[in-house]
Amino acid sequence: MLTDPTIQDDEQARAWLAALAERGTRHAVDVDGCEMVWYQFGQGDPLVLIHGGHGSWTHWARNIEALSARFSLWIPDLPGYGESGLSGYGDWDSLVDTTVRGIDALLGVDTLFNLAGFSFGGLVSAHVVARRPGVRRLALLGPGGHGGPRRPRGKLLNWKKMLEPEDVKEALRHNLWVHMLCADAAIDPLAQRIHTVACEFTRFHSRTISQMGGLPEAIDQYPGETLFIWGENEVTCTPGYLIEHLVKAHPNRHSRIVPGAGHWVQYEAAGEVNRLLLDWF
């Protein structure tokens, strides 16, 4: 099932996202002069959701309704993304530290919580659990930093060099197809609006960090149960390779491959991923 069929154009996508934000509670946490913005939805045990690179809290737009029926969701704009400021010197260590301190400020330093991270946010999540005890269970959706082989669908276009608005729009749509979503039908007005705004507000450069690796070393420090989720048509890795090298030898690690989905698996296969996450957590 794709998004609400009433969303037929960009204006309706804007209105849908505005209504979603209104349903949540916005929190702004100051960490050493960096204002980090979080959105909170629902009641129950806390579940933190961390978005991917060139993303924002709206990477989870199609998961909020289902998951907030059971959990209290805490979803940030990472430092250097969306509505949040840049942390420290805009470096990797500051980003992770600010995220951990934001969690402690909002939930409490001794509060247990569940954690899910997507793409670059999966790498962030792995470093969060390496630094901050108290994560009950962890889910990593297409996590970056794995160090394994990739299988790119094509080349990304530099939309910032485009001069005409229509060329920018087409370049961003092309990038969604190359990197994020598999089916043409999934590249709907809502996906394009989320991706466009997130790209425009991205100030942190995540790609080099993700490609440097570091996920296996960070996740080795987490003794809890971890679920890896990949779309069948994932382009940022080869899921079978990572299952063999990152999952199989560890009894506390589990994996699921979602048929037909691409990298942005929780958007393209929202129903299936929502079921997986509800069962897991």
Side-chain angles (χ1 to χ4, degrees):
M1 180 179 178
L2 296 178
T3 52
D4 185 340
T6 62
I7 301 176
Q8 298 292 325
D9 55 35
D10 185 63
E11 182 177 350
Q12 292 172 349
R14 289 171 187 258
W16 191 93
L17 288 168
L20 179 63
E22 284 293 320
R23 287 171 50 192
T25 301
R26 185 183 185 275
H27 302 267
V29 179
D30 186 277
V31 178
D32 293 339
C34 171
E35 184 177 85
M36 187 173 178
V37 172
W38 295 70
Y39 282 85
Q40 189 269 326
F41 299 85
Q43 300 294 323
D45 291 337
L47 169 58
V48 174
L49 305 176
I50 299 184
H51 67 77
H54 285 82
S56 74
W57 70 272
T58 57
H59 265 172
W60 301 95
R62 298 197 63 222
N63 315 107
I64 288 170
E65 181 175 3
L67 298 182
S68 65
R70 190 176 301 176
F71 298 100
S72 177
L73 303 182
W74 295 87
I75 319 175
D77 282 342
L78 289 171
Y81 295 89
E83 299 176 60
S84 293
L86 273 170
S87 56
Y89 296 100
D91 65 318
W92 164 242
D93 189 68
S94 295
L95 181 145
V96 176
D97 181 65
T98 299
T99 302
V100 170
R101 292 170 67 183
I103 291 170
D104 287 345
L106 291 168
L107 302 185
V109 295
D110 297 320
T111 300
L112 300 177
F113 64 96
N114 292 308
L115 175 62
F118 163 60
S119 192
F120 175 65
L123 180 60
V124 175
S125 297
H127 282 266
V128 168
V129 298
R131 297 188 188 195
R132 202 278 192 188
V135 175
R136 284 195 176 104
R137 279 194 159 197
L138 175 66
L140 302 178
L141 290 70
H146 52 77
R150 300 162 63 90
R151 45 184 190 182
R153 196 177 191 181
K155 291 185 177 182
L156 295 170
L157 297 178
N158 188 344
W159 59 273
K160 293 182 180 180
K161 291 186 175 181
M162 306 295 176
L163 298 178
E164 299 297 329
E166 281 302 313
D167 292 335
V168 171
K169 180 179 179 180
E170 188 54 38
L172 287 168
R173 189 188 190 285
H174 168 85
N175 290 350
L176 269 174
W177 182 84
V178 165
H179 190 70
M180 296 286 278
L181 299 166
C182 178
D184 288 343
I187 307 174
D188 57 16
L190 182 60
Q192 292 182 72
R193 170 53 29 191
I194 290 170
H195 185 61
T196 297
V197 173
C199 286
E200 289 174 348
F201 281 87
T202 293
R203 286 141 288 143
F204 187 89
H205 301 290
S206 63
R207 185 178 302 173
T208 301
I209 294 169
S210 290
Q211 292 177 352
M212 285 174 61
L215 177 67
E217 294 80 5
I219 205 68
D220 280 348
Q221 300 178 58
Y222 177 61
E225 299 286 319
T226 302
L227 176 65
F228 290 84
I229 300 174
W230 292 284
E232 178 185 17
N233 300 303
E234 172 68 74
V235 298
T236 70
C237 74
T238 302
Y241 176 92
L242 293 183
I243 290 171
E244 189 67 34
H245 291 83
L246 196 59
V247 178
K248 274 191 175 181
H250 303 271
N252 65 325
R253 299 180 190 175
H254 314 270
S255 63
R256 298 290 185 275
I257 295 180
V258 179
H263 180 52
W264 192 5
V265 62
Q266 78 271 26
Y267 186 92
E268 189 162 10
E272 177 62 19
V273 171
N274 291 339
R275 284 189 291 273
L276 287 172
L277 293 179
L278 286 168
D279 287 346
W280 180 249
F281 291 125

